[in-house]
Amino acid sequence: MTKKTFIGLAVLAIALSYTACKPKDASTAVSGDAAVKAYVPPGKYDEFYNFVSGGFSGQMSVYGLPSGRLFRVIPVFSVDPEKGYGYSEESKPMLNTSNGFIPWDDLHHTELSQTNGEIDGRWVFGNANNTPRVARIDLKTFRTAEIIELPNSAGNHSSPFITENTEYVVAGTRFSVPMGDNSDVAIDTYKKNFKGTVSFISVGKAGEMDIAFQLMLPGVNFDLSHAGKGPSHGWFFFSCYNTEQANTLLEVNASQRDKDFIMAVNWKKAEEYLKAGKGVKKQVKYVHNIWDEATHSAKSELRTEVTVLDPAVLKDICYFIPCPKSPHGCDVDPTGEYIVGSGKLAALIPVFSFTKMQKAIADKAFEGDFEGIPVIKYEAALHGEVQKPGLGPLHTEFDGKGNAYTTFFVSSEIVKWNIKDLKVLDRAPTFYSVGHLCIPGGDSKKPSPKYVIAYNKITKDRYLPTGPELAQSAQIYDISGDKMQLILDFPTIGEPHYAQAAPAELISKNSTKIYKIEENKNPFVAKGEKETKVVREGNKIHVYMTSIRSHFSPDNIEGVKLGDEVYFHVTNLEQDWDVPHGFAVKGANNAELLIMPGETQTLKWVPEKVGVYPMYCTDFCSALHQEMQGYIRVSPAGSNVPLTFSLGKLPAPEVAAPPTK
């Protein structure tokens, strides 16, 4: 036997041995160079940030592409004990609503800010579906900077979608309900009394949000939306379903007609009517919450009025375009000419032309109206149909090279097709039941056509079992060539509903590293250990505390009594990147604080028992992290123990008794 033959047989034996030992349900590794395409070596950075909605978690998660590595979970609409969000006194106001403090919500969609139709890396927006709100996250800090509540809204799934210069964020109601003073009506009076709305939220240069106006609309369900761009700038397009206006067993009763609608909104015309005083002021209650970077704290404001426009009266604001049944996605290509509707119950994909739609409006090519809003003839606005693309089309994004990529929930695949000739070019299976997808910049004028990411509803056999529920899932495909190539599966926090991605260099170059201690304007800041103190105000005790590697100041406190409320105002004196400190006190029914360098955060504690309680740093900060602790003494109510505090006071040395004679 030659040496070459021996080596070949040895390799074959090893391969057979591996195959024999492999679990029978494990899938074979993806072939070719897939692993290389998804591999990011240690110490190297990913090409893109991927901002993924957390669905029922109420949070937003940030992954790297193509590695699929989880970098951060951004708390938005739900409390987060890891970061103290919703637990610190400074952050609690961020979760205020007109219904009070809401510790959980449902974040379905993310949307990156744009300038001239291109992602600009300033902000990412998220929506709260359950208690209708829209949030703006600052990408310098990866923190929620602002949340505005939406009045006259019941369910906020259809948001937060933006215009090409982020002039507006829009939000449509998922559910129509009775509105106004006479809201106590029988449910079966749906067609008579139920209404939907679309809110146009203006965005200022610094990001500040305000409800500019709302449109009062027929009682249907609004799903997804995208703004026009280029020639269609000034328009917005929404998918609508339940035009049957059913109020029970919608899976049957909202599937009676062949078509629902795409709603086209001329928001430039709406602005004209608004300026002309055609809006009606409505008395409502909603809350606006803003995070102040100077004070490291949030404040809430209750607002009481919105302006409403009625498109049934102001006829040239809204138009309906028939669309195959139960459309979900409503997507506009990079040129701004083509609008893609995805009817979940259709076996085709309709593509509408903005130019044809404009001509149809000019020619009054209508087939009647729906509750006072003109309905454009289907063929008059249609560019064409993609025939037999798959089953259950949901969401489409674009590569900027004339191609579209659509997810198919029922047939579990992504299908690539050409926008102009409507021919299917490629299809790739997903695992399994894909909902949304993402191409970096895929809804902008300038996509980055390197990857498409599928966000799947079901994983089944893709990961190790974890009880009745398996890991949530995403998959990355290389689309740089003519054919899609699956290069990576990666688990996500639940539920990865919708996502957007941006080039890493666009965002990382502006990242905040520290908060300058001299710029800290929190009213309870201690900018050095000489400023630390403990102050009693009635039954409230304010502890002005500092943290630095590796001690708190003060670290011994006495004179607290049962019935007192203790506020630990902790300032992190570090001025070095990536050195947060945590803080917790034993016996507190509150989560820890997490305090960034130069920041002040407050933990409220109401002691319930007499005793001595340890307090300590919860975030590993140095070799002496374990030693970073202190004590607080709680005495009975009415005790005469004075309020004292100290740092570094050592016990007196023990003195030996004199020898006996």
Side-chain angles (χ1 to χ4, degrees):
M1 183 184 297
T2 65
K3 182 178 180 181
K4 184 175 181 180
T5 303
F6 176 80
I7 293 173
L9 289 173
V11 170
L12 177 61
I14 293 170
L16 290 172
S17 172
Y18 168 77
T19 303
C21 295
K22 188 174 69 170
K24 64 179 182 179
D25 292 330
S27 299
T28 304
V30 178
S31 61
D33 59 349
V36 173
K37 291 182 177 180
Y39 180 65
V40 177
K44 298 297 183 181
Y45 289 167
D46 280 276
E47 298 173 71
F48 298 94
Y49 287 100
N50 190 200
F51 298 91
V52 184
S53 67
F56 42 72
S57 76
Q59 317 294 35
M60 191 181 297
S61 53
V62 185
Y63 298 86
L65 299 178
S67 73
R69 298 178 293 193
L70 175 63
F71 293 151
R72 174 155 289 268
V73 174
I74 303 172
V76 186
F77 296 114
S78 299
V79 296
D80 183 355
E82 180 191 17
K83 301 168 189 70
Y85 183 80
Y87 292 97
S88 71
E89 295 303 297
E90 284 83 359
S91 64
K92 284 179 180 178
M94 292 301 291
L95 298 177
N96 284 345
T97 74
S98 61
N99 299 301
F101 180 85
I102 302 292
W104 170 88
D105 214 304
D106 190 7
L107 196 161
H108 275 208
H109 300 125
T110 65
E111 185 84 354
L112 287 159
S113 59
Q114 295 182 13
T115 301
N116 296 324
E118 297 181 21
I119 291 172
D120 57 28
R122 291 179 295 168
W123 312 304
V124 59
F125 298 89
N127 68 322
N129 186 32
N130 186 268
T131 303
R133 287 168 285 171
V134 167
R136 176 176 59 87
I137 291 92
D138 188 338
L139 292 181
K140 289 182 179 179
T141 60
F142 282 64
R143 282 184 165 181
T144 303
E146 188 175 7
I147 295 177
I148 193 165
E149 189 179 3
L150 304 176
N152 296 326
S153 179
N156 177 36
H157 182 75
S158 179
S159 79
F161 302 102
I162 62 165
T163 50
E164 65 177 343
N165 285 298
T166 321
E167 297 99 336
Y168 292 106
V169 176
V170 300
T173 49
R174 177 177 178 179
F175 311 105
S176 290
V177 293
M179 295 183 189
D181 297 332
N182 187 26
S183 58
D184 180 17
V185 298
I187 297 172
D188 63 7
T189 65
Y190 187 112
K191 291 186 179 182
K192 177 181 178 181
N193 292 314
F194 286 46
K195 292 289 185 180
T197 60
V198 168
S199 300
F200 276 74
I201 304 165
S202 61
V203 183
K205 290 183 178 179
E208 63 278 12
M209 298 189 294
D210 190 16
I211 298 177
F213 61 92
Q214 293 183 315
L215 302 179
M216 189 63 67
L217 295 162
V220 298
N221 298 49
F222 294 97
D223 207 331
L224 297 187
S225 176
H226 274 96
K229 52 180 75 79
S232 55
H233 178 68
W235 288 79
F236 238 108
F237 305 92
F238 294 80
S239 58
C240 316
Y241 64 102
N242 190 25
T243 54
E244 294 86 352
Q245 297 182 312
N247 60 274
T248 182
L249 201 63
L250 263 63
E251 64 176 332
V252 175
N253 293 321
S255 302
Q256 299 298 306
R257 298 178 178 177
D258 290 336
K259 291 183 173 64
D260 280 308
F261 293 131
I262 296 294
M263 183 178 73
V265 178
N266 185 342
W267 59 264
K268 288 286 190 181
K269 181 61 68 174
E271 285 184 330
E272 291 178 15
Y273 285 125
L274 197 66
K275 189 175 181 179
K278 300 293 185 180
V280 177
K281 303 290 185 183
K282 297 285 186 180
Q283 296 303 302
V284 292
K285 288 184 178 180
Y286 64 103
V287 169
H288 184 212
N289 307 325
I290 297 179
W291 181 261
D292 187 333
E293 283 294 329
T295 62
H296 312 302
S297 59
K299 60 181 179 181
S300 290
E301 175 191 12
L302 180 66
R303 297 186 177 182
T304 58
E305 186 179 79
V306 292
T307 303
V308 176
L309 299 172
D310 187 350
V313 177
L314 307 169
K315 295 287 187 180
D316 47 0
I317 295 178
C318 290
Y319 301 88
F320 285 129
I321 306 171
C323 184
K325 196 63 204 159
S326 295
H328 186 63
C330 181
D331 305 289
V332 181
D333 87 309
T335 70
E337 171 62 17
Y338 300 107
I339 303 104
V340 179
S342 296
K344 293 179 293 187
L345 302 183
L348 53 81
I349 302 173
V351 182
F352 301 102
S353 162
F354 179 73
T355 301
K356 287 188 174 182
M357 185 195 83
Q358 291 292 88
K359 186 176 187 303
I361 292 171
D363 295 345
K364 299 189 182 302
F366 304 137
E367 57 181 47
D369 69 80
F370 183 81
E371 294 196 10
I373 296 177
V375 179
I376 297 171
K377 290 180 179 179
Y378 179 71
E379 292 78 9
L382 187 69
H383 165 64
E385 298 172 338
V386 182
Q387 298 293 325
K388 298 181 179 179
L391 299 176
L394 279 184
H395 177 208
T396 300
E397 292 212 343
F398 308 92
D399 63 9
K401 298 186 290 186
N403 303 312
Y405 296 73
T406 300
T407 56
F408 289 82
F409 181 83
V410 177
S411 53
S412 291
E413 59 184 333
I414 296 175
V415 174
K416 175 183 177 180
W417 50 277
N418 183 270
I419 300 170
K420 288 191 175 180
D421 65 21
L422 308 174
K423 301 295 184 183
V424 172
L425 303 174
D426 189 26
R427 59 181 70 239
T430 62
F431 305 97
Y432 302 94
S433 297
V434 59
H436 289 273
L437 81 168
C438 165
I439 293 172
D443 73 339
S444 72
K445 279 184 178 179
K446 191 177 179 181
S448 300
K450 192 165 186 179
Y451 306 109
V452 63
I453 306 93
Y455 304 94
N456 304 324
K457 303 298 184 184
I458 298 172
T459 60
K460 291 294 186 186
D461 58 354
R462 302 301 285 185
Y463 303 108
L464 290 172
T466 51
E469 184 183 22
L470 300 177
Q472 307 289 319
S473 167
Q475 295 180 301
I476 303 176
Y477 298 78
D478 180 349
I479 59 170
S480 58
D482 292 335
K483 299 293 183 181
M484 292 177 278
Q485 180 189 20
L486 176 62
I487 62 173
L488 184 69
D489 284 20
F490 67 100
T492 69
I493 66 166
E495 172 226 356
H497 192 83
Y498 191 94
Q500 294 211 320
E505 61 183 9
L506 188 66
I507 296 170
S508 61
K509 65 183 179 181
N510 295 319
S511 183
T512 296
K513 292 181 169 59
I514 63 168
Y515 297 101
K516 294 179 180 179
I517 192 73
E518 65 271 17
E519 296 177 1
N520 185 328
K521 295 182 181 179
N522 187 293
F524 299 102
V525 64
K527 295 185 178 181
E529 291 184 0
K530 291 182 179 179
E531 297 183 13
T532 60
K533 57 187 176 181
V534 181
V535 178
R536 177 180 287 279
E537 296 177 356
N539 73 325
K540 292 182 173 61
I541 293 178
H542 294 277
V543 181
Y544 294 72
M545 177 180 283
T546 61
S547 62
I548 195 167
R549 288 168 286 185
S550 297
H551 65 270
F552 294 106
S553 176
D555 64 3
N556 278 213
I557 302 170
E558 299 189 28
V560 176
K561 303 171 187 178
L562 288 183
D564 286 341
E565 295 178 358
V566 184
Y567 294 85
F568 296 95
H569 309 290
V570 187
T571 300
N572 183 348
L573 296 180
E574 307 285 356
Q575 292 290 267
D576 189 9
W577 189 21
D578 197 26
V579 188
H581 285 295
F583 178 81
V585 57
K586 289 293 185 183
N589 62 355
N590 205 348
E592 63 154 315
L593 296 181
L594 188 64
I595 314 113
M596 296 299 116
E599 184 180 45
T600 301
Q601 290 290 281
T602 300
L603 184 134
K604 178 184 176 181
W605 178 47
V606 181
E608 297 181 355
K609 296 178 182 179
V610 170
V612 175
Y613 293 84
M615 52 191 182
Y616 63 102
C617 178
T618 55
D619 194 277
F620 198 95
C621 56
S622 71
L624 295 177
H625 167 72
Q626 290 292 97
E627 286 75 11
M628 192 168 174
Q629 65 171 63
Y631 293 98
I632 182 166
R633 176 186 172 188
V634 178
S635 300
S639 167
N640 59 2
V641 177
L643 185 64
T644 60
F645 60 95
S646 63
L647 171 69
K649 182 179 178 181
L650 297 175
E654 185 175 330
V655 179
T660 57
K661 293 183 180 179

